[in-house]
Amino acid sequence: MKFLLLLSALGFCRAQYAPNTKPGRTSIVHLFEWRWADIALECERYLGPKGFGGVQVGMAHGVHRGVGGALEQKVSSVSAKLRNCISYALQRVLSLHPNENVIINNPSRPWWERYQPISYKLCTRSGNEDEFRDMVTRCNNVGVHIYVDAVINHMCGNGVSPGTSSTCGSFFNPGSRDFPSVPFSAWDFNDGKCRSPSGDIENYNDAYQVRDCRLVGLLDLALEKDYVRSKVAEYLNHLIDIGVAGFRIDASKHMWPGDMKAILDKLHHLNTTWFPEGSKAFIYQEVIDLGGEPIKSSDYFDNGRVTEFKYGAKLGTVLRKWHGEKMAYLRNWGEGWGFMPSDRALVFVDNHDNQRGHGAGGASILTFWDPRLYKMGVAFMLAHPYGFTRVMSSFRWPRYFVNGKDINDWIGPPNTNGVIKEVTINPDTTCGNDWVCEHRWRQIRNMVMFRNVVDGELFTNWWDNGSNQVAFGRGNKGFIIFNNDDWPLSSYLQTGLPAGTYCDVISGDKIGDKCTGIKIYVSADGKAHFSISNNAEDPFIAIHVESKL
Ligand SMILES: *[C@@H]1O[C@H](CO)[C@@H](O)[C@H](O)[C@H]1NC(C)=O
Ligand SMILES: *[C@@H]1O[C@H](CO)[C@@H](O)[C@H](O)[C@H]1NC(C)=O
């Protein structure tokens, strides 16, 4: 009986909700648009040693001159407003993957071409199958797992010209629904099922349209067909066998949860070279639910976790002090703010879509462009127990605002004639070639470690001044305090930590028995004095038991 209970407990732990990170590793990072070769190196030289649990990677099968090109031409004749609207919609959907995608030349190689699959061959701008396998093996070998962004709702856009302008050179003909490299043909798409006049999604209040029609013209796969489910499952199983640990399921809102479940039921267990026997792929589904639409995040809970888009939108609003929000209100952050249950949530401050001012969240979203607030937001997320956390790592692009909208939001990764540039590392450990590498910022990298150290500890010792000065602990393992007010903070607070001298991991690092930043003295009763100028470069302090001197 005890044995059976143990088995079922293990079974539960190994379900699609468990991130499959190594014990003691609690966050993943999205290395947006990186080449597989650079990710492999980053796992070995940085992510492994610094305690990251995994990497979300893009996958794609692609097209040249696809929907984007056709669409761009189409919209050049219409109003800027409509153009914004279409590009907004496109970007919500088109985001990362290792399978073949369309190559778009107009505009020139946008990042979103990856979201237009042509086949399930593993070759993209990030690398070929050999390079992908090498990355997975090398990352797994240093305890950093790989999570693939799977684009399975659709293929490329309806309006893309037929040809072989794809990242593997595979032929395709969107007009006749012909993708011979899978193969998919006209039978395998939802054209007959969609009930909107244009065949595209026109009304987000109609769940049938959202799931049966084309998202901004992208050819919608008939996932109710066993043949289509099997082809998708074959692709995901290929990745699982190579050694990936799970999937972000792109555009999940646009698929029926039951169809997705049928696909997930066909998946292999994870490769036992790196994972315990019987482990299931971690699943997190992209569902943008800010409330007010018939499709809810909760529709998808049976399949796995779901992206909580309210998280970044609200946190940005609070830290920016918009609409009368203040940090003191974060006392009941999480379910208390109307978010989904913590054990179903995948959380992030920004993602590749909304860091461009699009997708869910709008202008409140914090990004690397506002570094001071961004570091506070990411630190708050990593210190707080709610959800499974994903850190964003971006590339810089030339923003250019026209009427409040960035018209360069389509620009792809740093490249030379379309070939993605290497991620170079500067002597000070930051990245070159316009890779932002937020995950290497001391404040963010050290908070990833903080989260590992306090894993499993309760949210304790909350303090606030009724305004924007707040602090909280995680049991007797860690403590963090913020001053987002316009005046200094000076307080004597209960940290819950054992007595000793601690090194603040925001202003510095503990190196051997030395601290390069601020020192905090915790007395025998667990209390410590904190002072934080409102003009500090980083107006917050974090200490944990491993930063004790
Ligand atoms: C698991 O990975 C190892 C190492 O790459 C490989 O040899 C093996 O074939 C994989 N297992 C499966 C079931 O594909
Ligand atoms: C907190 O904010 C209040 C006003 O709400 C202010 O009077 C006080 O000085 C601030 N700091 C502390 C530590 O209470």
Side-chain angles (χ1 to χ4, degrees):
M1 186 61 189
K2 252 191 195 144
F3 181 65
L4 280 178
L5 278 175
L6 181 67
L7 271 185
S8 66
L10 281 176
F12 179 73
C13 292
R14 305 254 162 86
Q16 62 273 29
Y17 310 105
N20 295 322
T21 45
K22 284 274 187 201
R25 294 181 185 252
T26 57
S27 297
I28 61 173
V29 56
H30 179 192
L31 299 178
F32 182 44
E33 289 281 355
W34 285 38
R35 301 178 317 151
W36 308 149
D38 286 326
I39 294 176
L41 284 169
E42 190 70 351
C43 285
E44 294 170 342
R45 69 190 167 199
Y46 201 85
L47 303 175
K50 302 294 184 193
F52 285 78
V55 184
Q56 178 181 308
V57 303
M59 276 313 242
H61 359 256
V63 201
H64 266 317
R65 280 192 314 275
V67 152
L71 195 74
E72 205 65 22
Q73 284 158 19
K74 206 162 107 197
V75 299
S76 58
S77 61
V78 301
S79 74
K81 196 170 168 203
L82 179 57
R83 181 195 175 100
N84 290 352
C85 184
I86 290 173
S87 116
Y88 166 85
L90 256 179
Q91 291 179 20
R92 276 171 60 139
V93 208
L94 313 176
S95 137
L96 353 163
H97 347 83
N99 60 307
E100 184 176 22
N101 63 264
V102 76
I103 293 175
I104 307 264
N105 287 316
N106 181 16
S108 179
R109 309 299 309 262
W111 59 268
W112 43 255
E113 69 173 32
R114 281 192 200 245
Y115 288 82
Q116 299 194 38
I118 291 301
S119 79
Y120 297 129
K121 292 180 190 166
L122 305 186
C123 59
T124 71
R125 275 211 274 183
S126 285
N128 60 27
E129 176 161 345
D130 286 345
E131 291 162 321
F132 183 81
R133 284 179 180 275
D134 182 58
M135 167 187 73
V136 171
T137 300
R138 288 165 59 191
C139 289
N140 279 340
N141 286 347
V142 293
V144 181
H145 297 153
I146 298 294
Y147 302 82
V148 164
D149 190 351
V151 184
I152 60 175
N153 171 64
H154 54 262
M155 299 300 277
C156 71
N158 191 26
V160 179
S161 309
T164 54
S165 185
S166 50
T167 51
C168 275
S170 297
F171 173 80
F172 60 97
N173 185 348
S176 60
R177 311 294 190 248
D178 202 17
F179 294 87
S181 295
V182 180
F184 284 142
S185 65
W187 303 105
D188 303 320
F189 291 88
N190 271 335
D191 297 285
K193 201 177 176 195
C194 166
R195 294 276 171 265
S196 81
S198 64
D200 291 341
I201 299 166
E202 297 172 13
N203 176 7
Y204 272 79
N205 286 316
D206 177 346
Y208 290 87
Q209 274 195 24
V210 175
R211 287 158 169 161
D212 294 339
C213 298
R214 295 184 304 244
L215 176 58
V216 292
L218 297 163
L219 296 173
D220 202 59
L221 285 167
L223 294 170
E224 66 184 14
K225 287 186 60 178
D226 190 60
Y227 173 76
V228 178
R229 292 172 176 177
S230 297
K231 282 298 171 186
V232 170
E234 204 176 278
Y235 163 51
L236 301 182
N237 279 330
H238 183 198
L239 296 167
I240 286 174
D241 292 348
I242 289 172
V244 311
F247 302 99
R248 168 190 184 265
I249 310 284
D250 181 64
S252 292
K253 186 182 189 171
H254 302 283
M255 297 182 270
W256 291 95
D259 290 345
M260 205 187 306
K261 180 169 192 307
I263 292 166
L264 298 178
D265 284 347
K266 292 177 189 283
L267 297 189
H268 299 168
H269 288 152
L270 300 185
N271 189 315
T272 52
T273 304
W274 297 288
F275 302 93
E277 191 121 9
S279 299
K280 289 173 87 172
F282 176 43
I283 299 297
Y284 54 106
Q285 304 158 90
E286 186 212 13
V287 178
I288 299 177
D289 172 11
L290 294 175
E293 286 178 26
I295 296 177
K296 305 283 174 225
S297 293
S298 55
D299 300 349
Y300 294 84
F301 288 169
D302 286 349
N303 291 335
R305 291 197 187 230
V306 180
T307 51
E308 179 51 277
F309 276 87
K310 291 171 188 160
Y311 194 99
K314 293 289 186 192
L315 191 57
T317 307
V318 172
L319 288 172
R320 291 179 192 279
K321 300 186 246 184
W322 286 357
H323 315 312
E325 295 285 6
K326 35 180 127 163
M327 288 192 84
Y329 299 156
L330 296 174
R331 176 190 283 269
N332 66 339
W333 185 244
E335 290 92 341
W337 278 61
F339 301 166
M340 66 184 74
S342 177
D343 61 359
R344 290 294 175 272
L346 185 290
V347 299
F348 44 96
V349 172
D350 62 328
N351 77 351
H352 67 280
D353 278 321
N354 63 20
Q355 71 171 195
R356 286 167 171 68
H358 295 284
S364 75
I365 297 296
L366 296 170
T367 72
F368 70 87
W369 295 106
D370 294 306
R372 193 167 182 262
L373 284 181
Y374 187 65
K375 285 178 276 182
M376 294 173 79
V378 175
F380 185 88
M381 172 181 84
L382 292 170
H384 196 282
Y386 180 85
F388 183 70
T389 48
R390 180 181 64 197
V391 170
M392 181 68 199
S393 188
S394 318
F395 58 81
R396 209 171 280 105
W397 71 98
R399 289 202 299 182
Y400 189 72
F401 288 96
V402 175
N403 297 326
K405 138 112 180 122
D406 173 16
I407 60 166
N408 280 344
D409 56 4
W410 57 271
I411 288 181
N415 69 86
T416 309
N417 298 323
V419 178
I420 299 181
K421 281 189 184 167
E422 180 188 359
V423 178
T424 51
I425 307 299
N426 302 321
D428 67 357
T429 78
T430 59
C431 299
N433 276 343
D434 277 328
W435 298 100
V436 182
C437 290
E438 296 93 314
H439 68 284
R440 280 177 169 255
W441 296 2
R442 181 188 63 243
Q443 300 84 345
I444 292 177
R445 166 244 293 167
N446 283 349
M447 285 307 298
V448 167
M449 192 60 88
F450 180 107
R451 190 174 192 78
N452 292 342
V453 172
V454 304
D455 188 27
E457 297 292 322
L458 293 175
F459 179 76
T460 48
N461 292 310
W462 174 267
W463 167 85
D464 67 70
N465 71 338
S467 184
N468 290 289
Q469 300 181 353
V470 305
F472 62 92
R474 294 292 303 277
N476 58 2
K477 294 278 182 65
F479 190 77
I480 190 164
I481 173 164
F482 296 86
N483 179 12
N484 199 30
D485 271 333
D486 300 326
W487 53 86
L489 176 155
S490 177
S491 269
Y492 189 61
L493 301 173
Q494 177 56 252
T495 65
L497 296 182
T501 302
Y502 290 79
C503 184
D504 166 33
V505 298
I506 303 305
S507 56
D509 286 295
K510 177 187 158 195
I511 298 173
D513 56 359
K514 298 264 182 321
C515 175
T516 62
I518 296 166
K519 286 182 195 161
I520 300 292
Y521 306 93
V522 175
S523 50
D525 61 1
K527 289 191 166 175
H529 186 264
F530 295 90
S531 54
I532 305 178
S533 161
N534 47 306
N535 296 316
E537 180 189 344
D538 293 309
F540 60 110
I541 288 174
I543 54 177
H544 58 73
V545 289
E546 310 244 308
S547 81
K548 189 163 180 257
L549 297 170

